[in-house]
Amino acid sequence: MKMMINSIQKSVIRIHTLSRASVCRGLSSVSGPKVCVVGGGPAGFYTAQQLLKARQDAVVDIYERLPVPFGLVRFGVAPDHPEVKNVINTFTQTAHHDRCSFHGNVNVGKDVSIEELRQAYHAVVLSYGAEGNRSMGILGENLPGVFSAKDFVGWYNGIPANKELCPDLSCETAVILGQGNVALDVARIILSPLDMLKKTDITQHALEALATSRISRVLIIGRRGPLQIACTIKELREMVNLPNTRADMLLSDFEDIGETLKDLPRPRKRLTELLIKALNERNDKAEKSWSFRFCRSPVEVLAASDGKRAAGIRLAVNKLEGSGESVRAVPTDKLEDVNCGIIISSIGYKSIPIDPAVPFDHRRAVVPNDTGRVQDVSGLYCSGWVKRGPTGVIATTMNDSFDTARVLLQDMDTGKLDLSIKKPGAQAIAALLQTRGVRTVSFTQWEKINAEEERRGKPHGKPREKLLDVEDMLKIAWS
Ligand code: FAD
Ligand code: NAP
């Protein structure tokens, strides 16, 4: 009863806050800077947080393509890393701020153009992440049985577009290309005992598929050597400690490392020491194995005899040139074929242009910018992965977003951004969206989706059962 009263009190306070906020934005004479952020992931929320904190008169609207917020914190971070998702609490506080509004279900670039946003706001911040993936550019890449890590992760994490991926896990060997943290996330999810996953927010369909998986061997293939793996020590340790699973590395890959070890920078040294420890600790009773393979680049996906699906991968054997982190992989004329039933390419995500009016560097796949100021377009800024490329943990994205916010605030203070012109902000965009038949999802409406997901997860002991259909999300949001 007490909880119920509390929650009613909270809702009343929230209604008051909301109406006060809408009055501020719509009708009152308050005319502080109006900023909109495109993308409701960590970069969007951290940029908004910093702007709201620094200026008591700033109003920030976040436009998000999906009806649900939080970007890769919801759709990327592995289900068995719930502690990482605690940042959602901070983002929720930001979304509840009097001067902040979330507008989900708005695909910027399609439903509304950047130019229209620029007309309505004093500044627009692009924080729309990296929704594409780097392709391997090799023959056979599109055969069934080959997946990008982005889609595979999306499948187990509930991205609506990936719900029907249905990877066939009936083979013995899986090959993962790339040796970053995403590759290790994927390998760990494939090899984890079901008990470690079933109380997480992994999608039910992924859990069911993994329950019948016959994959017992995962090869994680890198184009460079053991001293250049891109993962971090916590994620490597999780692989080493996987129950019923042994690390099955080749001794010969580590022969020359002893000499170099002492001169390595500390994080790299610790990572390498852990690799060597794993190499020496062989648990021969384990039923499953994983292994790094080094100095191999994908050359061609080999088709099964009927030509209908992937049955292996041809790799070029590389030699390494240079030293340290900047070592380059150079292919030799030696090739090696590996039989496998599934190939997951985890060689990086990639930002894509969303509006032809916004400059885009196609080679680096980022919006070209100078410390967050988009080149040649005044009033346009960027933060997060679309600003600096698809690397960096949430803390890196936070710092980067704070930097962009700082630059934006500077431009307000120095008059580079003209705040004397009154801008209509969300009011104008809401009217535009209405004429286009686009109905938005507010943060309160997202909270209904959230509650429904938590309710569905409860009987299974899961924190939530994610809704996989945008239509279902909208139905619940607007009910
Ligand atoms: P995103 O998180 O991708 O957010 C971008 C948002 O923009 C999304 O919500 C998207 O829907 C929205 N959007 C896209 N296009 C449009 C559009 N046209 N209109 C409106 N909105 C749009 N970091 C950690 O610290 N710990 C981890 O455990 C961890 N795990 C990860 C696992 C994976 C698989 C990946 C890929 C990354 C992981 N990271 C982790 C890194 C972390 O997720 C990123 O640093 C961070 O999410 C980048 O934030 P962002 O806001 O730039 O992009
Ligand atoms: P990443 O760390 O950049 O790793 C990409 C991997 O792909 C590297 O091994 C890279 O090798 C390889 N690669 C790139 N291009 C290639 C090519 N053409 N051919 C063959 N191999 C190629 O990217 P990520 O794994 O996608 O992770 C993205 C970011 O999210 C990272 O910053 C990561 O730390 C973060 N993240 C964090 C966590 C966590 O904290 N638990 C989990 C997931 C992701 P080279 O080194 O040779 O380029």
Side-chain angles (χ1 to χ4, degrees):
M1 189 63 182
K2 195 173 161 201
M3 266 172 62
M4 213 169 125
I5 292 169
N6 269 345
S7 98
I8 292 169
Q9 278 172 341
K10 271 190 196 154
S11 325
V12 172
I13 291 165
R14 171 98 189 98
I15 291 165
H16 278 300
T17 319
L18 275 175
S19 46
R20 192 152 46 86
S22 16
V23 168
C24 277
R25 247 161 291 160
L27 309 171
S28 82
S29 56
V30 175
S31 59
K34 291 195 168 81
V35 179
C36 88
V37 170
V38 178
F45 274 101
Y46 281 127
T47 310
Q49 179 189 323
Q50 194 68 358
L51 293 172
L52 292 163
K53 188 174 149 204
R55 280 199 71 130
Q56 302 308 309
D57 58 347
V59 165
V60 182
D61 292 319
I62 300 175
Y63 290 93
E64 164 59 46
R65 184 172 62 80
L66 288 165
V68 295
F70 312 138
L72 285 169
V73 176
R74 174 181 166 101
F75 290 124
V77 172
D80 58 343
H81 286 170
E83 69 291 347
V84 178
K85 303 186 197 206
N86 288 340
V87 290
I88 284 177
N89 299 331
T90 310
F91 300 159
T92 299
Q93 269 178 19
T94 300
H96 282 165
H97 194 289
D98 279 9
R99 291 177 279 116
C100 184
S101 300
F102 175 82
H103 308 267
N105 199 36
V106 181
N107 192 347
V108 174
K110 289 207 168 76
D111 297 333
V112 60
S113 71
I114 297 292
E115 190 44 40
E116 287 163 338
L117 292 175
R118 286 182 67 220
Q119 292 297 325
Y121 290 89
H122 292 102
V124 177
V125 185
L126 305 171
S127 311
Y128 65 83
E131 297 233 300
N133 60 278
R134 283 190 200 131
S135 78
M136 295 186 284
I138 62 172
L139 212 66
E141 187 167 8
N142 297 321
L143 276 171
V146 184
F147 301 94
S148 68
K150 186 182 84 64
D151 289 350
F152 194 85
V153 168
W155 169 70
Y156 66 65
N157 268 342
I159 295 186
N162 299 132
K163 67 175 190 290
E164 273 149 21
L165 201 74
C166 297
D168 181 351
L169 309 178
S170 64
C171 55
E172 202 177 288
T173 302
V175 158
I176 301 176
L177 298 157
Q179 296 178 327
N181 280 333
V182 173
L184 263 58
D185 274 358
V186 170
R188 192 178 69 255
I189 294 298
I190 291 177
L191 290 171
S192 284
L194 223 55
D195 273 349
M196 284 172 65
L197 298 178
K198 66 185 184 199
K199 302 286 177 212
T200 71
D201 67 3
I202 190 168
T203 56
Q204 198 58 28
H205 63 190
L207 205 55
E208 283 160 17
L210 289 164
T212 58
S213 164
R214 294 177 56 202
I215 298 175
S216 58
R217 178 174 178 245
V218 176
L219 298 178
I220 308 168
I221 295 178
R223 60 180 167 182
R224 301 193 288 163
L227 294 182
Q228 289 83 37
I229 53 172
C231 61
T232 42
I233 193 153
K234 175 177 170 279
E235 287 63 33
L236 180 59
R237 193 172 296 120
E238 284 175 321
M239 288 304 293
V240 173
N241 292 338
L242 270 179
N244 195 22
T245 309
R246 70 176 179 281
D248 198 9
M249 247 82 74
L250 300 177
L251 249 167
S252 54
D253 281 331
F254 295 83
E255 266 163 7
D256 305 329
I257 283 186
E259 285 292 288
T260 9
L261 199 58
K262 62 178 187 338
D263 300 323
L264 293 174
R266 193 172 144 74
R268 178 60 71 187
K269 182 164 177 262
R270 289 182 60 219
L271 194 66
T272 314
E273 282 168 347
L274 181 57
L275 263 183
I276 294 171
K277 187 166 167 249
L279 179 77
N280 294 323
E281 275 175 8
R282 286 181 164 268
N283 171 7
D284 290 329
K285 288 202 186 114
E287 289 166 295
K288 298 180 188 175
S289 72
W290 68 274
S291 169
F292 280 133
R293 289 285 181 272
F294 302 106
C295 298
R296 304 285 187 274
S297 288
V299 171
E300 182 182 349
V301 174
L302 305 171
S305 52
D306 61 4
K308 286 194 178 147
R309 55 171 295 114
I313 184 142
R314 178 158 296 159
L315 302 164
V317 178
N318 299 330
K319 62 180 182 191
L320 298 180
E321 284 183 0
S323 63
E325 303 289 331
S326 58
V327 152
R328 276 188 333 114
V330 180
T332 64
D333 52 11
K334 250 172 90 182
L335 295 172
E336 187 178 278
D337 291 351
V338 176
N339 293 331
C340 60
I342 183 168
I343 296 165
I344 298 160
S345 163
S346 183
I347 62 172
Y349 285 52
K350 186 178 159 186
S351 291
I352 45 181
I354 57 165
D355 187 315
V358 176
F360 195 80
D361 178 339
H362 289 271
R363 196 182 57 80
R364 294 179 53 227
V366 293
V367 170
N369 68 92
D370 178 8
T371 48
R373 290 184 186 99
V374 175
Q375 260 170 31
D376 304 325
V377 191
S378 68
L380 193 59
Y381 299 80
C382 56
S383 65
W385 277 17
V386 73
K387 169 187 175 188
R388 56 159 211 283
T391 56
V393 292
I394 295 167
T396 328
T397 299
M398 178 186 77
N399 289 327
D400 166 85
S401 306
F402 287 178
D403 286 346
T404 293
R406 205 170 302 124
V407 160
L408 205 165
L409 290 159
Q410 243 172 40
D411 289 354
M412 288 179 182
D413 292 343
T414 57
K416 198 167 171 180
L417 272 180
D418 188 355
L419 302 182
S420 67
I421 311 165
K422 221 172 161 190
K423 294 279 187 171
Q427 235 182 12
I429 300 302
L432 259 182
L433 291 173
Q434 200 178 7
T435 61
R436 291 169 191 169
V438 180
R439 192 169 164 197
T440 61
V441 171
S442 67
F443 203 77
T444 315
Q445 289 169 329
W446 142 250
E447 285 174 327
K448 282 185 172 179
I449 300 175
N450 185 39
E452 176 60 17
E453 291 188 340
E454 287 178 353
R455 192 189 66 74
R456 291 185 187 196
K458 219 168 209 157
H460 308 285
K462 298 172 78 173
R464 71 180 60 243
E465 189 61 56
K466 287 180 188 164
L467 294 176
L468 305 179
D469 250 312
V470 168
E471 287 306 313
D472 290 346
M473 293 176 184
L474 294 178
K475 219 179 283 165
I476 290 163
W478 297 332
S479 62

